[in-house]
Amino acid sequence: MVIKMVAHHEGSRSVSEEIALGAQQSRIVSAIASWCEALHGSASLKSAFSDLCIGLGAQAGILVRTRRALGQVNRIAIHDPKAEQSCGRPLRFSLAESVFGTDMDGARAGTIWHEADACHSDDSLLKEFQAARGFREFCVLVLASGPVNRDHIELHFN
């Protein structure tokens, strides 16, 4: 019976691929649970954000709140475990405005943008940061967007 459950069929994943996929899904579920705990005040937001970045496979990430009227960008949490080995380029500020420009002003909650979608996808700040850190992908997830504040997550991947 067990053999039938893990039998390899043409076109299907190997057992090791299935195990890896299951582990990844488990990390994502755990990260979401941790995130929910933080939103309810029963866990550290910084820790939950790190869990979320790890669960999604990001090597670095930043959670940002922008106060629209003031144009003020506040770092809420940063996940950058390799900041010490970053060639002097730790993740310390948001790149979303530089890459996506004024498109960020009209972003709705739930919007996910990949750098390839940007009007400034060749942004020099992003390209320099990616080159220094060996990152290849950058995306932004808008969590909330209202007339006063916008919250978003930026993720960087190898």
Side-chain angles (χ1 to χ4, degrees):
M1 176 107 167
V2 173
I3 294 171
K4 288 182 182 177
M5 291 176 63
V6 294
H8 182 76
H9 297 289
E10 190 173 324
S12 66
R13 294 184 186 101
S14 70
V15 172
S16 61
E17 289 172 328
E18 287 291 337
I19 290 170
L21 180 60
Q24 179 185 15
Q25 290 171 342
S26 177
R27 283 191 303 271
I28 291 171
V29 169
S30 178
I32 291 171
S34 178
W35 183 255
C36 289
E37 288 173 0
L39 293 178
H40 287 72
S42 58
S44 156
L45 185 58
K46 182 178 179 179
S47 175
F49 182 67
S50 287
D51 290 347
L52 188 64
C53 290
I54 292 166
L56 294 173
Q59 282 65 47
I62 185 169
L63 172 61
V64 176
R65 170 164 283 172
T66 301
R67 299 196 186 283
R68 292 177 184 266
L70 303 173
Q72 182 181 28
V73 179
N74 297 316
R75 298 174 299 183
I76 306 300
I78 296 176
H79 170 76
D80 191 2
K82 294 189 177 180
E84 297 294 322
Q85 302 98 22
S86 69
C87 303
R89 298 300 297 260
L91 180 59
R92 294 291 176 247
F93 59 90
S94 172
L95 293 165
E97 299 283 345
S98 177
V99 174
F100 296 105
T102 57
D103 290 343
M104 288 294 292
D105 293 337
R108 295 177 309 195
T111 301
I112 300 174
W113 283 330
H114 185 271
E115 68 186 89
D117 301 328
C119 54
H120 306 291
S121 62
D122 60 346
D123 180 72
S124 62
L125 287 175
L126 176 64
K127 295 303 174 197
E128 289 171 19
F129 180 72
Q130 287 177 321
R133 297 295 299 272
F135 295 150
R136 292 187 211 157
E137 292 185 62
F138 168 71
C139 71
V140 172
L141 167 61
V142 178
L143 299 173
S145 186
V148 178
N149 297 318
R150 180 184 59 246
D151 297 337
H152 72 271
I153 291 173
E154 299 179 23
L155 300 172
H156 298 271
F157 302 89
N158 285 345

